[in-house]
Every structure is written in C-alpha cells, then in structure tokens.
Amino acid sequence: MPVFELTGDPSDAFADEAYRALASAPPVARTPRGDYLITGHPEAVSILRSPHAEPRFDYPTAGSRWNRLAERFFVFLDGSTHRRLRSAFDTDLTRSAMSGDDGRIDTISAAHVEDFRARVEAGETADIIKDFAVPCTVEILASILGIDAAAVTTVVNLAIRIRSTGDEDREFLDRVAVELQRTAETLLYTGRFAGSLPNRIAAACDGDRELIHSTIALLLLAGFETSANLFGNLALALMWDPQRTRVLVDGGPSLLPTAVEELLRLHSPAHVVARVAREPIAAGDVVLPAEARIAVFLRLCNMDPRVFARPRQMNLHRTPNPHLAFSHGRHYCLGASLARLEIAAMLRALLPLLTRLKIDSSKTPKWTEQALGRSLVALPVRLEPRSS
C-alpha cells in the first residue's frame, strides 16, 4: 500500500511559522495572556462537543460594516438562532448532497472539465482554481439553491478579491459588506431563489433584516469558496508528485472516498476555530476555566499521532480517518456532505487530465493572507504533450 512523504512539498509559510512555534506544545497549552491553544485531537473533540464552548468572533475590524455583517454569520452564533438557521438550509445543502443530487454535480463537473481541457489543449496556461474550481462550484451551488449562476457573479468577484486581501484592509472589507448586502437584497426580494428557501431564511431570522443579509452572504461566500479553495489545495498536493495521481487513477472509483478523506485531513483550508468557555470544560487532563478564550488548531489536531498512525504521511487508503477538517459537534460544517460530493465529482472528472497537467514552474505557489482559512491564491498549470 503506497504512502507518500510530504517532505519537499510546497508549503504555506504563514501557517508553517505558527505551527513551528507550537511543535513542542502539549495538547492543551496556556499562553502567558491566559488563552488556551488546543493541538490534541481528543482534547479538541471534548471542547467542540461541549455545550459550554461557544463560538468566538475575533475580527480585527471592530466596529466596521464588515464586522457588523460577519459577526452575525451563523457560524458565530449559538443556541436557538443557530439551530433555526441550520435547519433552514438542511434540505438544500445536506439532504440534496446525501442523495447524490440526481447526478447534477457529476454533469456540471464534467462540463467544466471539458471547458478547461479545451483551454489547456489550445496551449494556454490555465489556473485550476480560477478557470475550473471556482466556476464549477459556483454553478453547483446555484443549481442546488435554484439561483441563476449569473446572479452570483458579484459575489464571485468579491470573493476572488478577498482572497488576495489581508484581514486588516478595513476599507475594502467595508465595501465588500455593502456589496454583499445589496446582493442579498436582490436575490431575496426579486425572486431569484427557487422554492421556499427565502421564506425559511426569513422565518429562521425572525424577520431580522441584518441577520438575513448576513445569512445569505455567508451562504454565497462559503457555499462555493470553501470547496474551490479546498480543491486547489488538493490539486497541488496530487500534482506535486505524479505518483499520487497515478495511485488514484489505478485505484479506480472505489478509492476516491478514502482518498478524499485523507486529502481533507492534510489540506483542508480551515485551520483554526475559536471558542470561549461559558462554564469550566474538561479537555484531557486540563480543566479550562469559565470565560477562557480557546483556539482549536484543526490542522494540528489532524496530525495527532495518538489518533493517526504516521500522521505526516499521505496514505490515500487510510481508514478510519476521524479528521476534524469540517470541525466537530453542533458547529460541524453544514456543507460537509456537499463538499465531499463536489470534491469527489471534480476529481473524478479531472483525473484523466490531471495526469498530464504540470504546475507552472515559473510561479511560486502563494497562499491567501487570511489567518483562518488558508488556500492558494492561484494554481497555474500547463498541459504536457502526450508521449509518442
């Protein structure tokens, strides 16, 4: 069973620096200012399952328009409001994904691969993220939610600009907030959503207009952005060592589920989630006091040798694989089932071409500047000629 060492792979310097500082830390570490850093998998599970660990919103643009919009994303909410909002999207995101969405995701992925193939076969350098992953995941989301794909063009353009903008660019993020609010108004109040989704959102938000705007903004941003980012990370990991792609091709469709889970464990764009303890919480041998501020480093938890044998190797056959790429507990990613389905469909469609794609050696892989979600800015590739 082949496994692959990750030594020498391109890496995210920002994340690497943070993780080097935590290399010798215990699973639960207390900082000089009293915060708690969690790098152990079992300890993270205890915290993320605890009813006393609430989401914490820490954005550097306090008081800005962006802050007022983002602090009401339902990933930062808890209690009854959080439960109502998750329930509002259950049919559209979770159940449609679990049913396979009637083959639409495979059909959309295959069509976008053909467009991408035509581009690279014409001799152009193409970007796997911008020219394949983003348009593909946008169309999938639009199809599932019943939105004309053209209606989310504004959001796509904003998301692409956010990718290359630092968290501290307050002026830009304020402009993003305004555009997202306008887009939410347009989609909700001009009948651009199909079915009962607008009514369910309004009911879940109890008519709170600002919360409605925040909910739609998060749905549109995270609904395609996370999957597109994830696919870019995975494509780079596979292409860096062509033998990894070959193992997937030779393993056939039956290998895809375990391979996707291993790639998620190693390369998810979600690196950290923040919590605050409202009551004391036991995590391993440590009891975190009430009001403790907590940072759970999901990526480091996915490297815990107590849970994952040889965690710094890529084993596309790894099972079981209880990674925390989608977090855990009541804030487990609502779109996890859809993301898995998307990634598998996109890989399945692109694999025959992926064996011939080469990373543009003139470009150094660069990651986005956001602290919480680490993903590639771009992944330019070219097509290697067929051997005669």
Side-chain angles (χ1 to χ4, degrees), residues 146-261:
I147 312 171
D148 180 351
V152 294
T153 299
T154 299
V155 179
V156 173
N157 291 336
L158 288 171
I160 290 171
R161 291 173 65 194
I162 288 172
R163 293 167 59 83
S164 57
T165 302
D167 289 329
E168 294 79 18
D169 191 341
R170 177 170 176 165
E171 183 179 341
F172 169 70
L173 290 173
D174 280 351
R175 293 199 302 272
V176 170
V178 172
E179 288 297 326
L180 286 173
Q181 288 171 322
R182 289 173 180 165
T183 303
E185 290 274 358
T186 300
L187 290 173
L188 278 170
Y189 303 120
T190 59
R192 304 295 285 273
F193 276 108
S196 61
L197 183 59
N199 291 334
R200 296 203 310 276
I201 292 171
C205 295
D206 199 22
D208 183 330
R209 202 174 188 86
E210 289 189 356
L211 183 56
I212 291 171
H213 290 163
S214 292
T215 301
I216 296 301
L218 178 64
L219 174 66
L220 295 176
L221 283 175
F224 78 88
E225 177 81 352
T226 303
S227 294
N229 288 346
L230 174 58
F231 193 84
N233 290 355
L234 307 193
L236 174 63
L238 290 172
M239 293 173 62
W240 191 252
D241 181 351
Q243 184 58 30
R244 299 169 188 173
T245 307
R246 179 49 55 193
V247 167
L248 265 183
V249 171
D250 293 345
S254 63
L255 180 58
L256 266 180
T258 56
V260 166
E261 295 307 311

Side-chain angles (χ1 to χ4, degrees), residues 107-354:
T107 300
I108 291 169
S109 299
H112 281 279
V113 164
E114 288 309 305
D115 291 343
F116 189 77
R117 182 196 303 276
R119 185 163 188 158
V120 293
E121 286 186 343
E124 300 180 38
T125 294
D127 181 349
I128 279 185
I129 300 172
K130 179 174 69 72
D131 298 321
F132 173 63
V134 167
C136 186
T137 53
V138 164
E139 186 174 346
I140 289 169
L141 181 69
S143 174
I144 288 173
L145 297 180
I147 312 171
D148 180 351
V152 294
T153 299
T154 299
V155 179
V156 173
N157 291 336
L158 288 171
I160 290 171
R161 291 173 65 194
I162 288 172
R163 293 167 59 83
S164 57
T165 302
D167 289 329
E168 294 79 18
D169 191 341
R170 177 170 176 165
E171 183 179 341
F172 169 70
L173 290 173
D174 280 351
R175 293 199 302 272
V176 170
V178 172
E179 288 297 326
L180 286 173
Q181 288 171 322
R182 289 173 180 165
T183 303
E185 290 274 358
T186 300
L187 290 173
L188 278 170
Y189 303 120
T190 59
R192 304 295 285 273
F193 276 108
S196 61
L197 183 59
N199 291 334
R200 296 203 310 276
I201 292 171
C205 295
D206 199 22
D208 183 330
R209 202 174 188 86
E210 289 189 356
L211 183 56
I212 291 171
H213 290 163
S214 292
T215 301
I216 296 301
L218 178 64
L219 174 66
L220 295 176
L221 283 175
F224 78 88
E225 177 81 352
T226 303
S227 294
N229 288 346
L230 174 58
F231 193 84
N233 290 355
L234 307 193
L236 174 63
L238 290 172
M239 293 173 62
W240 191 252
D241 181 351
Q243 184 58 30
R244 299 169 188 173
T245 307
R246 179 49 55 193
V247 167
L248 265 183
V249 171
D250 293 345
S254 63
L255 180 58
L256 266 180
T258 56
V260 166
E261 295 307 311
E262 179 70 341
L263 292 166
L264 279 167
R265 180 182 75 87
L266 293 170
H267 300 293
S268 170
H271 281 216
V272 62
V273 294
R275 296 288 187 266
V276 61
R278 294 307 180 197
E279 300 288 343
I281 301 172
D285 297 330
V286 180
V287 176
L288 281 59
E291 302 308 316
R293 292 159 58 90
I294 308 164
V296 180
F297 288 85
L298 300 176
R299 183 177 172 186
L300 290 181
C301 295
N302 287 342
M303 297 288 185
D304 191 334
R306 297 173 297 170
V307 177
F308 304 97
R310 297 179 295 279
R312 299 188 183 280
Q313 291 180 339
M314 179 189 293
N315 177 1
L316 298 177
H317 294 82
R318 187 185 297 272
T319 184
N321 196 340
H323 62 76
L324 302 178
F326 294 118
S327 192
H328 193 78
R330 66 188 182 282
H331 283 273
Y332 184 75
C333 177
L334 183 62
S337 297
L338 176 59
R340 285 185 166 101
L341 196 67
E342 286 178 309
I343 296 302
M346 293 163 71
L347 272 178
R348 192 161 42 243
L350 191 63
L351 266 179
L353 188 62
L354 201 62

